[in-house]
């Protein structure tokens, strides 16, 4: 079978080497399309692929139409909002993700941004410490749990809220559960977002929640830019001089931030959360193994479409 790695943001070379070991051992051919700039490149190479490994690359109906032989696509990572699941099902393509494999990298990035901001961007100006501060983890999945562990190491007071995780489960992780999302935002100087982007969560972080955050509030977004209501965020920035937004990717309203709030935000130019060798290896190799298993045994573990 022909397995295509199609990544607009390439894996580390060591991850490709290890992915190749898996596909070679299973007797499949590995084809690489890395750092591509146009969908047309993907459409051309996808034409004879039996399987595809992608990252945040968009797998649309157009891509699936072009990939006539495709049987399985694995998103090497957690969030699969880039896969058109209905179109995958309509094209008889199994869609999977690799949950948990890049979570630590994302959690570490949240702290890297928090530390950079707390120390005034390493500018020489005096800053502040994380010890003793409060952090609220909004959505307590794989990344949220790593964030909790790191926060405890820093001596922070850790709260969490997740509509799908029980208070008992949160407490078992040594974290104080909040009964409502409002309670979480009221309690936490730092808020770290870890929910997926879907119809329920898009634009869900709005004015009423953000205005509840205590003094020197810091909103850390290593989830998806789409979960933020950007108009509300700008309104908060207008009203509060003490608010900071740290985001793994630039918001759509980046130009306004650059014009009005220089030095009061951090935006990565390209999504960096999962961009470590370790995360690339873990998620890339997991994806390759899932594909090899699917062809060998029909295993549909981690399938996300119906
Ligand atoms: C994920 O959902 O796994 C992360 O956002 C990582 O995305 P990336 O593979 O594009 O870096």
């Amino acid at each position: 079978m022909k397995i295509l790695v199609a990544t607009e943001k390439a894996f580390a070379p060591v991850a490709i080497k290890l992915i190749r070991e898996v596909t070679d051992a299973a007797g499949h051919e590995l084809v690489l399309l890395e750092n591509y700039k146009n969908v047309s490149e993907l459409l051309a190479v996808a034409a004879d692929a039996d399987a595809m490994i992608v990252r945040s690359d968009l797998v649309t109906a157009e891509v699936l139409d072009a990939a006539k032989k495709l049987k399985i696509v694995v998103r090497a990572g957690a969030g699969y909002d880039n896969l058109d699941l209905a179109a995958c099902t309509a094209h008889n393509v199994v869609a999977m993700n690799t949950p948990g494999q890049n979570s630590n990298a994302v959690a570490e990035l949240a702290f890297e941004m928090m530390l950079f901001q707390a120390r005034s961007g390493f500018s020489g100006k005096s800053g502040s410490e994380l010890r003793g501060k409060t952090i609220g983890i909004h959505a307590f999945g794989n990344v949220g749990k790593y964030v909790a562990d790191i926060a405890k190491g820093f001596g922070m007071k850790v709260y969490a809220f997740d509509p799908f995780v029980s208070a008992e489960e949160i407490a078992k992780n040594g974290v104080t559960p909040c009964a409502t999302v409002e309670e979480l935002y009221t309690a936490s100087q730092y808020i770290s977002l870890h929910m997926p982007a879907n119809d329920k969560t898009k634009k869900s972080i709005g004015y009423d929640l953000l205005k509840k955050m205590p003094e020197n509030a810091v909103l850390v977004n290593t989830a998806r830019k789409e979960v933020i209501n950007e108009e509300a965020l700008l309104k908060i920035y207008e009203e509060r001089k003490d608010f900071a937004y740290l985001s793994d990717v630039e918001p759509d309203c980046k130009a306004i931030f650059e014009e009005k709030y220089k030095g009061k935000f951090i935006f990565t130019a390209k999504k960096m959360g999962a961009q470590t060798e370790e995360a690339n290896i873990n998620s890339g190799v997991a994806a390759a193994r899932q594909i090899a298993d699917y062809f060998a045994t029909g295993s549909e573990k981690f399938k996300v479409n119906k």
Side-chain angles (χ1 to χ4, degrees):
M1 298 283 179
K2 198 173 255 192
I3 301 176
L4 170 65
V5 173
T7 48
E8 175 269 327
K9 183 176 64 193
F11 285 123
V14 61
I16 294 295
K17 180 174 164 278
L18 295 171
I19 290 169
R20 193 182 294 284
E21 281 179 17
V22 174
T23 54
D24 282 356
H28 301 305
E29 182 191 350
L30 189 70
V31 180
L32 301 179
L33 176 68
E34 297 182 286
N35 301 310
Y36 65 91
K37 302 278 177 270
N38 296 306
V39 186
S40 56
E41 295 173 65
L42 174 59
L43 297 179
V45 188
D48 60 352
D50 297 286
M52 236 164 51
I53 296 174
V54 296
R55 297 184 61 179
S56 290
D57 309 80
L58 295 182
V59 178
T60 59
E62 185 188 22
V63 172
L64 294 159
D65 281 342
K68 296 245 176 300
K69 296 170 68 185
L70 195 68
K71 293 146 194 81
I72 175 167
V73 57
V74 182
R75 190 283 191 244
Y80 46 86
D81 44 311
N82 54 316
L83 309 180
D84 184 334
L85 294 186
C88 286
T89 303
H91 286 77
N92 286 319
V93 170
V94 172
M96 295 185 184
N97 67 346
T98 66
Q101 299 291 346
N102 57 20
S103 308
N104 180 64
V106 178
E108 286 190 13
L109 185 77
F111 280 86
E112 284 149 7
M113 293 198 292
M114 285 161 62
L115 289 168
F116 189 77
Q117 189 268 344
R119 290 306 182 99
S120 311
F122 304 154
S123 63
K125 272 198 248 157
S126 84
S128 56
E129 301 178 23
L130 298 184
R131 179 168 293 276
K133 304 295 187 322
T134 49
I135 181 166
I137 301 171
H138 190 167
F140 202 66
N142 292 314
V143 183
K145 285 182 183 140
Y146 278 111
V147 168
D149 282 352
I150 301 171
K152 283 186 273 174
F154 272 103
M156 301 182 86
K157 294 189 189 107
V158 191
Y159 301 95
F161 172 80
D162 188 321
F164 304 105
V165 180
S166 68
E168 291 73 33
E169 173 68 21
I170 289 173
K172 243 200 277 166
N173 285 269
V175 171
T176 305
C178 288
T180 63
V181 67
E182 288 79 14
E183 201 183 293
L184 184 80
Y185 280 68
T186 305
S188 311
Q189 180 190 344
Y190 288 84
I191 287 282
S192 196
L193 303 175
H194 301 294
M195 69 286 285
N198 57 37
D199 289 348
K200 287 221 164 62
T201 61
K202 280 183 188 162
K203 290 188 190 264
S204 65
I205 310 304
Y207 182 78
D208 290 343
L209 278 182
L210 298 178
K211 84 163 188 251
K212 292 193 189 311
M213 291 178 70
E215 213 183 341
N216 298 322
V218 182
L219 177 66
V220 187
N221 184 4
T222 53
R224 290 287 183 272
K225 70 172 179 179
E226 290 84 357
V227 302
I228 303 288
N229 178 332
E230 293 190 9
E231 279 169 27
L233 180 66
L234 288 171
K235 188 166 173 218
I236 288 284
Y237 260 78
E238 282 294 326
E239 291 177 8
R240 292 180 61 162
K241 299 272 164 286
D242 66 328
F243 197 97
Y245 180 50
L246 319 181
S247 174
D248 184 18
V249 302
E250 301 164 338
D252 294 336
C253 61
K254 173 189 147 198
I256 303 177
F257 272 91
E258 287 190 328
E259 190 194 314
K260 295 170 92 170
Y261 305 115
K262 268 229 145 40
K264 304 197 68 180
F265 60 87
I266 300 174
F267 303 147
T268 58
K270 201 160 217 183
K271 186 138 64 87
M272 286 298 300
Q275 200 58 334
T276 63
E277 283 189 350
E278 294 88 340
N280 289 176
I281 291 169
N282 293 343
S283 54
V285 168
R289 287 207 180 112
Q290 286 170 216
I291 290 170
D293 284 353
Y294 176 74
F295 287 134
T297 69
S299 168
E300 294 194 344
K301 196 169 172 198
F302 303 117
K303 183 176 175 184
V304 292
N305 60 331
K306 299 222 166 70

